Amino acid sequence: MTGGIGESVRRPDGPAKVRGEFVYAGDLTADDVLVGVTVRSPHPHARITRIDTTAARATDGVHAVLTADDVPGDPWFGLTMRDEPVLAGDVVRYAGEPVVALAAVDAATARRAARAVVVEYEVLPAVTDPEVALTAPPLHPQAHPEGNVYRHVAYTCGDPDARGVVTVENTYRIGMQDPAFLAPEAGMATPLPGGGVLLEVATQWLHSDQQQVARALGLPPEQVEVRLAGVGGAFGGREDVTLHTHACLLALATGRPVRVEYTREESFLGHRQRHPGTIWLRHSADADGTIVAVEGRVLLDGGAYASTSPVVITNTVTLLQGPYRVPNGRFEGSSVRTHNPSCGAMRGFGVPQAAFAHEAQLDALAAALGLDPLEVRLRNALRRGDVATFGQTLDAPTPVREVIEGVRDLPLPTGPAKAPGGVGRAAEGGTVRRGVGYAVTIKNLAFSEGHTDESTATVSLRDGHATVHCACAEVGQGFVTVAEQIARTVLGATTVTVTQPDTLIASAGSTSASRQTMASGTAVHRACEVVRDRLLARVARAGDLDPATLSIAGTTVCAAGRPLTEVADAAPGHTVRATEHFAHPDTYPLGSTEGGMYVGFGFSAQRAVVDVDVDLGLVSVVQIASCQDVGTVVNPTQLLGQIEGGIVQGMGLALMEEVVVVDGLITNPHFEGYLIPTIVDAPEVVSTYVTDPEPGMPHGWKGVGEPPLCTAVPAVAAAVRAATGLPLPAVPIKPEHIALGLGSTPTVTWTTPRPAAPSSPGRAVVELDPTDRTGTWDAEGATGA
Amino acid sequence: MADVEFELTVDGTTSAVEAGFSESLLTVLRDRLGVRGPKVGCAHGRCGACAVSVTVPGEDAHVLCACLVPAAIVAGCAVSTIASINGPDGELSDVQEAFLAEGAVQCGICTAGFVTAATELLDTNPDPTREEIEGALYGNLCRCTGYGRIVAAVEAAAAGRREATS
Ligand code: FES
Ligand code: FES
């Protein structure tokens, strides 16, 4: 059997990609195509006093100039809360907010016309400090009159006031990270006969786009057909609508196809970032390192519009416990509206923030007790059957001990490495010190808290050729390969075509949350099984055989284990077809007694080895060893690609990537100022796996895309701490943090042990009084400024 | 600024071009000539997605960022894009094969640039060290792969060339 599940099958779209022939969204064009551009607000908060488009309209070659008044349907859109205007009409709430969309014959004309648009603003004070926003009057009273908190979550478990002999606390800060996919947003809208529109766009979630665009256009969803255009990376940053509606509005207004492609700067301004946040954590433990209680508080800056802020905050707060047993705890957090850039999904979805903080705490605990950091982690490792702080029983494999042992046993790299600083190194430094750090994380997989996680696939088979149709967006991760592997293994197909995803089939949900192999892979698997059974039933009828004796091995139909015919010859000229749906078991909101919040979890451990030039503050990541819980290995090469890619994005957040926002303005919306790791920065990666099959999933597969990033952030930070002896409570760790020793040290208190009150219920309690706050914010120390 | 007229030879085909005085080679290739192998990642010389190989008459080929070079400057030069890279019979080149075999391609938006730069490296240095590979490719960004498979692909292609010549 070649090309099936478990093999390093090559990507079917690979040959076109290495030849430069693969068509990306930015490559789309059509006869008569117009180019759309967006006029954006330069202010983070202002009232629009006048929009004058006369000169723009009068520009030769301009075909449409649209403002908020030209939105025929719902003027508001958004993934969780419809709070964002399609085009701002009266108030702008972040710098970069779209105000006018226009289309012209070519890009130069469109840009000239955009400069001719006059927008006058009355600049208003911007609230850019999330701490201030918490209690400030509503920043967006129209959509959100209650205040600025997107969501507040709070719960306790056990007796939060229980104490061990030592208590360690600190405040941690995580910077804003940009998904920085390499192909900026692009798409093309084409009017359809009958008043509808076709949108070809680089996206992660076709059906969400369809719903949101249709609503704004005032059309029924079936009048908006969304088709995936070639996607150049996503990482969460394409989960929200950006240019989609503008392109469709312009196409319908002009009656011509309109293509829109963002510049890199617009890409920074236009899509959602990873939430920056501040996390206070207090861990109390016994002398042997056993965790007695954890208290935590999170504040995430959600920026101007909600996007997924109400969802992300729950991930951060509930996973503050890390992959550890925490019998007693008190957890609280908010995501809050400000006038900063909007934040939403990015690979890890709230968990890298939690992971950075809880892993720093575990190391601080180990240091305070004079214990080995791995020993402390092993002592507290979650096991199958344990109950998480948020009340969910971990009833699937929970190989925390196994992933830790998996990295512990790998040999350390030896010998000299390259000088820290890479190509950016401008001076000879002084002392270079090596550091080794560990991190272990838990990441929830798939949608959570009652958001249905489902997918649908149609598979047909004719003369051994399988065709797979599913709305799962291929963004680079390799679902197209996995779908092909499934069809080969289940159906014995000799060739497979995975068709371009569109909204003509039911939703596959978003390509996010490490979920598509589980959801769409399983839908494809089910459809393949039904097609196989139908084919075998047909063969049985034709040959008067008992269908129960028939099976497919490789590409051959077997009767009672003996070759009967090739799949390709089993039903000449006949197409066998099936559409199947898959949905994970239901999930429930935090605090529900009906069931768990999460579909499942993935666990990962990493060991980072770094060299630090302690005088210049420069870091070189020499090696990262990883051991990840992956269920089963579906495609070894693609799996390694997810691990390596995730690790390098995580080290980017740990060491160099930060969207710098000053008074609501991004000061580095370009690759000159926003540094993503280069080939020189990337470490050697050693990747090993724990394969304990996930129950309920074909072959026991599970999501793998996010854990590597979540773990790399704290692992790299731990290694730099080990090399420097500095507390480094903020990421990205900048050269000045190291060279000047900035950042507050964890506070260690020796406490009188106090066992948990026996009456304390072990179950989660939600919605504590929001004023019942724990701990103190120490933002100054946390930023290290 | 008035347009300028010049001839541009791209992948062996010479075309008359009328473009803005400072219009980049990348814009001319993509928007005027419909040559879309070179990609737009940043338009500021920071990502390498637009890499093409340019041969000035009488000199060696050089890989450069098409987004940084005004098209008019390379009038009279031979511009080779990813479309010119393949094996002798139009099949995939060894570098392209290695990129597929090693899993160096995910979303692929960076791939044309990497293949272009890696091909130039191996054409001039068939046995590069890890440092030399990094030195040749640090101008190319990849956000998906973390570079591990890309290094593996270049090393595999180099090993293949060594075997073929030994
Ligand atoms: S597009 Fe030319 S270097 Fe990025
Ligand atoms: S494969 Fe996506 S940027 Fe390199």
Side-chain angles (χ1 to χ4, degrees), chain A residues 24 62 64 103 143 172 175 186 271 301 332 352 406 472 481 522 584 594 645 678 682 718:
Chain A
Y24 293 89
V62 170
Y172 300 92
H271 63 229
D301 183 352
E332 192 221 339
C472 168
T481 324
T522 303
H584 285 288
E594 282 181 72
T678 68

Side-chain angles (χ1 to χ4, degrees), chain A residues 8 10-11 13-15 17-24 26-29 107 177-184 231-235 259 261 264 346-347 418 423 474-477 637-638 640-642 644-646 648-649 652 657 670-680 682-685, chain B residues 27 30-32 36-49 82-87 90-93 95-112 114-115 130-131 133-151 154:
Chain A
S8 281
R10 295 186 186 190
R11 304 181 62 94
D13 58 9
K17 285 178 173 176
V18 294
R19 287 184 188 277
E21 291 170 357
F22 188 81
V23 179
Y24 293 89
D27 300 326
L28 292 172
T29 189
Q177 187 179 26
D178 190 287
F181 39 75
L182 212 60
V231 186
F235 318 115
R259 62 185 301 273
E261 184 177 10
R264 176 55 57 184
M346 188 182 163
R347 195 176 193 175
K418 55 197 161 196
V423 289
E474 170 62 48
V475 300
Q477 82 279 29
T637 299
Q638 288 199 171
L640 183 54
Q642 286 298 307
E644 290 182 332
V648 172
Q649 280 181 4
E657 293 183 36
H670 40 65
F671 287 158
E672 293 94 294
Y674 185 88
L675 301 181
I676 70 174
T678 68
I679 199 167
V680 181
E684 176 199 13
V685 171
Chain B
T27 309
R30 289 181 57 85
D31 295 353
R32 296 195 187 268
R36 296 206 168 77
K39 301 300 177 192
V40 191
C42 66
H44 280 92
R46 304 297 296 207
C47 76
I82 184 71
S84 288
I85 297 181
N86 47 40
E91 78 279 24
L92 296 178
S93 75
V95 175
Q96 289 168 321
E97 277 288 343
F99 267 63
L100 293 183
E102 298 296 329
V105 180
Q106 288 187 29
C107 85
I109 195 79
C110 69
T111 304
F114 270 103
V115 168
R130 165 100 196 199
E131 285 64 39
I133 293 173
E134 290 178 0
L137 300 181
Y138 76 77
N140 294 75
L141 295 179
C142 175
R143 189 56 158 169
C144 300
T145 66
Y147 305 102
R149 302 303 85 217
I150 292 175
V151 173
V154 177

